[in-house]
Amino acid sequence: MAEPLTVPTSLTAQIERLLPSARLGRLGRLRRGLEKEGLRVDKAGHIAQTPHPAGLGSKLTHPHITTDYSESLLEYITPVYTEPREALAFLSDLHTFTYQHLDDEWIWPGSMPSRLSGNDSVPIADYGTSNVGTMKHVYRKGLDVRYGRIMQAIAGVHYNVSLPEDMWHALRELEKATNIPFNDYRSTRYFGMIRHFRRHSWLLLYLFGASPAIDKSFLPEGKVPEKLAPLGDDTYFAEYATTLRMSDLGYQNKVQEQLKICFNSLSNYVNTLRHAISSPWPDYEKLGVNVDGEWRQLNANILQIENEYYSDIRPKRVAKHNETPSQALEARGVEYIEVRCLDLNPFDALGVTEDQMRFVDVFLLWCLLSDSPWISDEECDRLDDNRRLVVERGRDPALTLTRDGEAISLPAWGEQIFAEMGEVARLLDAVEENAPHQAALDALAPRLQNPELTPSGQLLARLKEGSGSLSDTLLALAKEQKQALDSSRMLRSREALLDQLIETSHQQQRDIEAADTEPFSDFIDHYFTKAREMRSFSSITSEELE
């Protein structure tokens, strides 16, 4: 007989003390924005070789439509909203607008890439002739020589969330911490949230992972990992995998593992990243930096820039024009959190749903309000063990995870977390109609006991019922989603804005290029000299380079 589920009294006490203010609307609402990537593919499901459409504007300066690593990898960026459906509506219009400028191409709905033809079939994004544009391009060339381009063709959703200031002030008063400077208090609490997130992010990977299979073109010729089995003529899969995107086939870097960033404090985080962008790595030195006038990478350090560090969650602060991300954090503290472990939902044209956004909101606030002790060196070494198990075997009925040194099944632990999150949903729903946060928990809870309801389970079932071809299946979904988007009507004011941004962004790029007089090598030297300084300034932000 299962033990009854209990909620920690410390969590319940905080909720009860915050609820009166929440019901009076005094805590404000969470703020969130979306960044969503998606490959452009041709009518046969191959990665597009065409340039980023000029009709979408300049990818260097457009605030909402750009590219990530590849010329073919679209990236959409929404404004910040307090209502999830408003962010989704903006994202939908970005998709619809894009399709007005694509010729026989589709937006790939999966996280793992479409059909590839080797490393060089992934074109590196070109951002023009300015120093900023050249730096973005050379950074991507560095990622190529270090990790290869194919890994960089993987797509996902980044979810950016911040708590309203009124809620921070309420928490600070409840904890009798008003003697602590506001930015210091907020940063400390955000890092506590991150630690709890990292201990429990396996739940998000299980619930939302949607990449249990890959096209065979993703793998080097003749090199198939033992964990994968063939499915059809062009697909490999792992029977119980949730998200191969987050496995050692995806965004992984052995060199970065030695950084040991465990998010115990802002100073530790910033100093570790500063060390990484200043410390040469022998293997990268062998690749060369500027060889006979050809830039191969920005430098030979562990990280070229801070954003090269891969993590499933990041503390963020909007950087000023003359700051790096770490300098902004160091100067003014953490402003918001970026969740980076979400696969694209291949069954939704936008790659993410409102229920998912509401769930992540509850999950993050649960992480904030729960006890989150510092991560010891010993725990740091095994912090990702549960995550790795869920990535590769999350839907395995025999899977057990480790909690406080003891084995526990995924459903049992998940149900305990859901019970605690239910208390947090009460807080968020105090200012909502129809309790949408609790509704999101109720909609997703059945996935704990029935793995086939997860996106990874649904996708694998569709593959097995059909031809077994991942690329054919996702291409068919892409075409269906385009038809649905074609029938949707854009908000007129938003369409006018996007039309205006086409020429505005191109003109901004021309202005930047015309104003450049400094040689690129000098520009790079100045940038990294300033980037290594504490609370100092640089000519551009690393955020602009990603």
Side-chain angles (χ1 to χ4, degrees):
M1 183 175 178
E3 295 183 6
L5 300 176
T6 59
V7 177
T9 55
S10 59
L11 177 63
T12 303
Q14 288 188 83
I15 300 297
E16 291 299 331
R17 295 172 72 184
L18 290 169
L19 268 173
S21 295
R23 289 171 178 147
L24 293 172
R26 294 176 180 171
L27 296 186
R29 293 174 180 267
L30 301 186
R31 293 161 52 82
R32 76 276 289 168
L34 294 166
E35 301 171 40
K36 187 259 184 181
E37 302 156 351
L39 278 176
R40 288 184 295 111
V41 301
D42 65 19
K43 59 185 178 182
H46 294 277
I47 184 173
Q49 299 300 301
T50 53
H52 181 76
L56 295 178
S58 164
K59 53 187 173 291
L60 178 69
T61 56
H62 199 295
H64 303 300
I65 304 176
T66 182
T67 56
D68 192 79
Y69 175 84
S70 173
E71 192 77 5
S72 307
L73 186 54
L74 291 162
E75 181 175 5
Y76 299 124
I77 304 167
T78 74
V80 176
Y81 291 102
T82 57
E83 285 291 340
R85 66 189 60 184
E86 292 179 357
L88 291 171
F90 195 101
L91 185 60
S92 178
D93 284 350
L94 292 179
H95 282 75
T96 300
F97 185 80
T98 297
Y99 269 122
Q100 296 174 2
H101 298 273
L102 295 186
D103 184 17
D104 288 330
E105 291 180 350
W106 287 268
I107 301 171
W108 196 246
S111 281
M112 299 306 285
S114 59
R115 293 184 170 109
L116 306 173
S117 299
N119 194 66
D120 292 344
S121 68
V122 182
I124 299 176
D126 180 0
Y127 295 92
T129 60
S130 67
N131 282 331
V132 172
T134 301
M135 187 173 183
K136 289 168 71 74
H137 183 71
V138 172
Y139 167 61
R140 285 157 173 76
K141 291 179 69 176
L143 297 179
D144 177 18
V145 297
R146 293 176 177 210
Y147 322 119
R149 301 184 193 182
I150 287 177
M151 186 180 81
Q152 310 301 325
I154 296 172
V157 175
H158 295 173
Y159 191 56
N160 302 304
V161 181
S162 65
L163 271 67
E165 289 212 2
D166 287 344
M167 188 177 291
W168 284 119
H169 288 302
L171 287 169
R172 196 158 157 248
E173 290 177 6
L174 287 177
E175 294 187 2
K176 297 180 172 53
T178 53
N179 59 318
I180 302 174
F182 177 78
N183 284 347
D184 292 344
Y185 172 81
R186 180 171 58 178
S187 294
T188 299
R189 290 299 303 267
Y190 265 137
F191 270 84
M193 173 197 281
I194 291 172
R195 290 193 297 274
H196 207 66
F197 179 97
R198 295 204 66 215
R199 289 174 170 121
H200 301 89
S201 62
W202 57 264
L203 181 60
L204 299 184
L205 302 182
Y206 173 79
L207 293 172
F208 305 121
S211 51
I214 60 174
D215 190 276
K216 69 176 183 180
S217 63
F218 183 80
L219 299 171
E221 187 72 29
K223 294 184 179 180
V224 180
E226 291 184 3
K227 73 181 83 173
L228 298 181
L231 182 65
D233 295 330
D234 62 3
T235 301
Y236 287 96
F237 79 109
E239 183 65 45
Y240 297 117
T242 58
T243 167
L244 294 177
R245 166 180 172 261
M246 297 298 293
S247 74
D248 55 6
L249 296 173
Y251 289 122
Q252 299 294 323
N253 184 334
K254 299 298 184 183
V255 176
Q256 292 185 23
E257 288 180 2
Q258 55 92 38
L259 292 176
K260 299 295 183 186
I261 296 181
C262 282
F263 300 95
N264 279 331
S265 69
L266 176 59
S267 60
N268 173 264
Y269 177 78
V270 168
N271 289 333
T272 304
L273 286 182
R274 183 174 288 121
H275 164 76
I277 65 170
S278 307
S279 302
W281 190 256
D283 289 344
Y284 298 158
E285 289 180 311
K286 293 175 184 176
L287 297 172
V289 177
N290 186 349
V291 181
D292 298 329
E294 177 194 355
W295 284 86
R296 297 181 178 178
Q297 51 186 337
L298 292 175
N299 54 56
N301 297 330
I302 296 172
L303 302 178
Q304 296 175 89
I305 59 173
E306 295 163 22
N307 286 339
E308 190 175 336
Y309 172 63
Y310 300 135
S311 176
D312 54 4
I313 188 169
R314 282 180 182 169
K316 301 293 285 287
R317 154 72 63 177
V318 175
K320 295 179 180 179
H321 183 66
N322 53 3
E323 288 180 317
T324 67
S326 286
Q327 289 166 344
L329 286 171
E330 197 170 40
R332 296 180 302 285
V334 183
E335 182 179 15
Y336 65 98
I337 295 297
E338 180 186 34
V339 176
R340 301 167 53 83
C341 61
L342 302 176
D343 281 2
L344 298 178
N345 181 345
F347 302 107
D348 188 277
L350 307 183
V352 60
T353 67
E354 182 176 348
D355 272 352
Q356 183 176 358
M357 293 174 70
R358 297 281 188 185
F359 182 90
V360 176
D361 289 344
V362 180
F363 184 81
L364 288 174
L365 192 55
W366 170 72
C367 288
L368 179 80
L369 298 178
S370 299
D371 293 336
S372 183
W374 276 34
I375 298 171
S376 66
D377 291 342
E378 178 185 1
E379 185 183 5
C380 191
D381 289 336
R382 54 181 173 79
L383 188 62
D384 293 330
D385 290 349
N386 286 330
R387 192 182 77 160
R388 278 190 288 267
L389 287 171
V390 173
V391 162
E392 297 187 2
R393 296 176 46 218
R395 287 180 291 105
D396 185 348
L399 175 68
T400 59
L401 305 178
T402 302
R403 183 181 67 178
D404 298 330
E406 297 183 357
I408 183 172
S409 72
L410 186 151
W413 195 354
E415 288 178 349
Q416 175 62 46
I417 294 173
F418 266 66
E420 296 178 22
M421 289 176 61
E423 292 295 297
V424 179
R426 283 200 303 137
L427 179 64
L428 290 174
D429 283 337
V431 293
E432 303 279 359
E433 295 182 1
N434 302 319
H437 296 92
Q438 184 59 54
L441 294 183
D442 293 342
L444 294 168
R447 295 183 184 182
L448 292 175
Q449 294 294 341
N450 187 353
E452 302 315 305
L453 296 177
T454 63
S456 60
Q458 292 182 63
L459 180 57
L460 196 53
R462 182 170 295 206
L463 294 179
K464 291 181 176 180
E465 291 167 2
S467 66
S469 171
L470 176 68
S471 289
D472 286 348
T473 300
L474 291 181
L475 183 60
L477 285 171
K479 292 178 179 179
E480 292 174 9
Q481 291 166 6
K482 177 185 183 300
Q483 291 177 351
L485 288 165
D486 285 345
S487 64
S488 64
R489 299 184 62 180
M490 292 182 62
L491 191 66
R492 288 186 178 181
S493 60
R494 191 167 294 147
E495 186 172 17
L497 169 67
L498 294 175
D499 282 334
Q500 180 184 15
L501 284 172
I502 297 171
E503 178 52 35
T504 301
S505 62
H506 282 304
Q507 185 58 53
Q508 288 174 335
Q509 178 172 336
R510 289 191 290 267
D511 292 344
I512 292 171
E513 291 173 346
D516 266 353
T517 57
E518 186 179 30
F520 180 65
S521 58
D522 293 346
F523 174 84
I524 290 295
D525 287 343
H526 293 159
Y527 173 81
F528 284 110
T529 297
K530 294 177 179 179
R532 288 187 286 267
E533 297 173 358
M534 297 179 64
R535 299 182 184 229
S536 64
F537 301 96
S538 58
S539 54
I540 60 171
T541 72
S542 289
E543 197 69 17
E544 295 174 44
L545 299 176
E546 193 178 39

